[in-house]
Amino acid sequence: MDLRHTMKGRRALSTVAITTGLLLMVAGCGGGGSGKSDKGSSSSSSSATNSNGGTTQSKAPESAAAPLAEVKGESGLVLTVTSAKRDGGGFVTVEGTVTNNTSALWVAAEWLGDESELARNGGSIAGASLIDQKGKKKYLILRDTSGRCLCTKFTGGVRPGATADWFAQFPAPPADTTNVDFQVGSMPPASIQISDGE
């Protein structure tokens, strides 16, 4: 008799314990899960906002920042220099855009310069130079061992109304030289300031 009562008591206790455990699990999953889900979605949306905000903020100053220089050619070509950074390797990287405001395809024919590697550097900004007025020195675009310029090649040209990005790498002027003129083709010289790269 005692054994039967003891077994019944244990079964009842086990049932109560299991039921309580299941209730706690359901409550934990439901409440904690939705709490986590809410937190997750709010942190996701805030991190999305932050990351979008961060992206927008980092892009906004670049697009809103005034270019270093902008010059216009006779034919309606517009050359913009957006950055000129001195790198640790002893060179300066100049970047910008060219906008073709003419009615014909522009192929950068007069931007090649006087060089013997025309076949390797055709349709490029290879004829550009940096002129250090203070040091009375002219810096030409760097070349690799094959004679190819370390610069943009405008493959296929630039269509009327289109804008293309470009870059060019030069040997770095002395550290105390920060102001130089960027010159290419028959475009007017663009006075730019060299900044230290990150």
Side-chain angles (χ1 to χ4, degrees), residues 71-75 77 79 98 106-115 124-131 138-141 143 154 166 168 170 181-190:
V71 292
K72 296 178 182 177
E74 293 173 7
S75 58
L77 211 59
L79 170 80
V98 60
W106 178 77
V107 293
E110 64 172 30
W111 285 19
L112 291 174
D114 304 323
E115 56 182 24
S124 71
I125 195 170
S129 60
L130 290 182
I131 299 163
K138 182 178 185 178
Y139 297 89
L140 302 177
I141 291 180
R143 304 296 199 264
F154 301 102
W166 59 264
F170 300 88
D181 290 337
F182 178 85
Q183 175 73 55
V184 64
S186 62
M187 300 293 286

Side-chain angles (χ1 to χ4, degrees), residues 47-176:
S47 71
T49 306
N50 288 342
S51 90
N52 286 344
T55 306
T56 307
Q57 288 172 1
S58 66
K59 282 188 180 176
E62 287 177 9
S63 59
L68 296 180
E70 184 175 281
V71 292
K72 296 178 182 177
E74 293 173 7
S75 58
L77 211 59
V78 178
L79 170 80
T80 303
V81 180
T82 55
S83 74
K85 290 185 180 173
R86 189 186 301 271
D87 296 309
F91 55 89
V92 170
T93 302
V94 183
E95 297 178 333
T97 60
V98 60
T99 303
N100 181 6
N101 289 327
T102 71
S103 57
L105 182 72
W106 178 77
V107 293
E110 64 172 30
W111 285 19
L112 291 174
D114 304 323
E115 56 182 24
S116 57
E117 303 96 350
L118 289 178
R120 292 188 185 97
N121 294 315
S124 71
I125 195 170
S129 60
L130 290 182
I131 299 163
D132 174 8
Q133 300 286 357
K134 179 181 160 188
K136 301 186 186 320
K137 217 167 180 187
K138 182 178 185 178
Y139 297 89
L140 302 177
I141 291 180
L142 294 168
R143 304 296 199 264
D144 65 14
T145 54
S146 303
R148 291 182 181 89
C149 74
L150 300 182
C151 67
T152 296
K153 187 171 182 179
F154 301 102
T155 308
V158 180
R159 293 187 179 127
T163 297
D165 294 322
W166 59 264
F167 83 94
Q169 290 186 328
F170 300 88
D176 62 342

